[in-house]
Amino acid sequence: MAQLFNRRPASRIKASPARIAFSIANHIVLILGAALCLVPMIHILAVSLSSPGPVAAQRVGLWPIGFTWSAYEWVVGNPDFLRAMGVSFLRIGLAVPMSLFFTVITAYPLSKEKKYLRTRGAYVWFFFLTMLFSGGLIPSYMIVLATGLIDTIWALVIPALTWQVFNMILVLNFFRQLPKSLEEAAYVDGAGHWMVLFRVYLPLSKPVIATITLFTAVTHWNSWFDGMIYMNFPENQPLSTYIRNILQTLEDVRLTIQDVSLIEFLNNDTARAAQIFVAALPIILVYPFLQRYFAKGIILGSVKG
Amino acid sequence: MVREPVSDSESKSGGRAGASSLVSSQVEMRRELDRRRRVRNKVPEWPLHVMLIPAVAVIFIYSYLPMYGLRMAFQDFRVSRGLFGEQEFIGLDNFRFLFRMPNFLRVMGNTLWIAFLKIAFGLIAPLVVALLLNELSNQGVKRVIQTVIYLPHFLSWVILGGILVTILSPSSGIVNQVLGWLGIGPIFFLGSNDWFVFTLVSTELWKSTGWGTILFLAAIAGIDPNLYEAATIDGAGRFKQTLHVTIPGIIHVIALLLVLSLGDILNAGFDQVFNLYSPVVYESGDIIDTLVYRVGLLNAQFSLGAAIGMFKSVVSLILISSSYFLATRYLNYRIF
């Protein structure tokens, strides 16, 4: 019976002219939309690789004119930029492992049924309430000040742990759909909760761990506001904050160039474009890996049932 | 709102016991019950509490103490005396001052208007794009387009702000150059109150439309293919199928997103506005969050800043709670 209703292969159905017209229009609209997402990035890349003359004359579109690496040479020789990048890598190096451990050991108990954790309901409300209400910017700043984190790298790491509540939900939902028989067998064999978490759950949770690792790393790379308010000295600020500062101040880069040989191959626009592109580069590089996981992750986390 | 997870193991083992003969099933059931009781008694609970210590401590300090710190909105706060020290209590003075501030109502209006536009278009645009993507028969083309349109979601507003300031510049930006060829005079996208809100909403769509399609595409993929076959047999073309099968199939997700977006009506997008605005466009683009930052941190009027923030938090609490309530009550939504 079911075979009777099987759809024939699409190629054997003769498409109507209206259908073909729609299909062409649809392709055009979607491809133009996709191009719109890429064109600004390509333009910035082209500007960063062009000579200052054509850039000032607005002749650079999507392809560099008067190709030169000078802007990038200036960026990699710029101690402020490099220091900011170092701060960014340091914060990611500290925050990602800490956040992962933090999230996993919190998600595990919360994924348990009430028979294993009688006070589960209370804990869940404790975390859930932070999704409903927050103290807001000023009191949060005062707490970071009161705990002595201002102008230390920990100001960018520890308060950020509170952002992990979303990832916790992701992980605990993943834990919950693992087969119960595995952990029950482990309990019967005498394993405790730590053993079950690290020997049974985690080896099975690579996809969700990969997802939250990448999410956390990208969030920390992009985060700029905490660097701006918690760091009083520019040398403590991460790259995103540094980029924001140079974009806002409109200072002439040529005044700050030590390497005199670069001056005629560089102007504000090309130097800025190069810095923007370098800051975006890590995201563009991890993006293909990110993409393998995030669709699944976001669906698990946001809408279920 | 927060429900207990259903125990899978109990329902599963019950079914298994019923399959065999009566006697052996009773024996098996007793054995199963024994085993479960043993497991329950044997696995100590305290390691679970130990695991929760770091999170409870961090969330208490960095999420709950700021809530307690909101009392500074009722004080004449001095940093030197500290958050937990003796401060002068001034009652509702900050709030009275706030509601008399000439720009507060304007900022509220801006916030609501910008957030409303973002929510409305942020729901419609991804829905339309998802439906269009669904009509692509070539999976390769579909995947490439998806990959490209998700990308802006992962770039921060600092970077996108830098790009936008460059390409939208009225004197040297590529956008105005192209508009110039079409005979449209230079538009001050970021420097004119007539255009700033338009720029905010359209660049937000540019950043997040692609990402927004994920949920709709997942919902569309979950629709039973038999429904399309039945519709085809009944003579429905692709458009009718979209109208009568696809959209009813995902209406649940649309309703859920709509209800949950209620909680965002005071979030006009701090990161975006802060990286794109300038004093010239405060009239149309200043929002609650940017006002809190300028008043509270830049001008160091901590109490007033906290009062504005508290106003927003309280209104948001009501809205978010109602949206979660509606979503759990009527749309079968569950968070934890």
Side-chain angles (χ1 to χ4, degrees), chain A residues 253-273:
Chain A
V253 288
R254 272 188 279 195
L255 299 176
T256 62
I257 292 182
Q258 279 96 13
D259 189 351
V260 189
S261 64
L262 284 175
I263 285 187
E264 52 185 307
F265 303 108
L266 192 69
N267 73 2
N268 263 339
D269 293 332
T270 61
R272 235 195 236 198

Side-chain angles (χ1 to χ4, degrees), chain A residues 189-256:
Chain A
D189 289 346
H193 285 298
W194 286 99
M195 186 85 97
V196 168
L197 171 57
F198 285 100
R199 295 288 176 77
V200 181
Y201 274 41
L202 285 191
L204 294 171
S205 306
K206 279 177 196 138
V208 75
I209 301 293
T211 308
I212 64 164
T213 305
L214 288 164
F215 276 166
T216 308
V218 169
T219 308
H220 275 274
W221 180 263
N222 281 340
S223 177
W224 53 278
F225 188 62
D226 47 5
M228 191 174 93
I229 60 174
Y230 297 147
M231 300 300 184
N232 295 318
F233 302 102
E235 59 263 34
N236 294 332
Q237 293 180 341
L239 189 63
S240 290
T241 313
Y242 169 82
I243 296 282
R244 196 197 123 73
N245 292 344
I246 59 156
L247 293 177
Q248 295 291 318
T249 49
L250 298 165
E251 169 188 324
D252 190 349
V253 288
R254 272 188 279 195
L255 299 176
T256 62

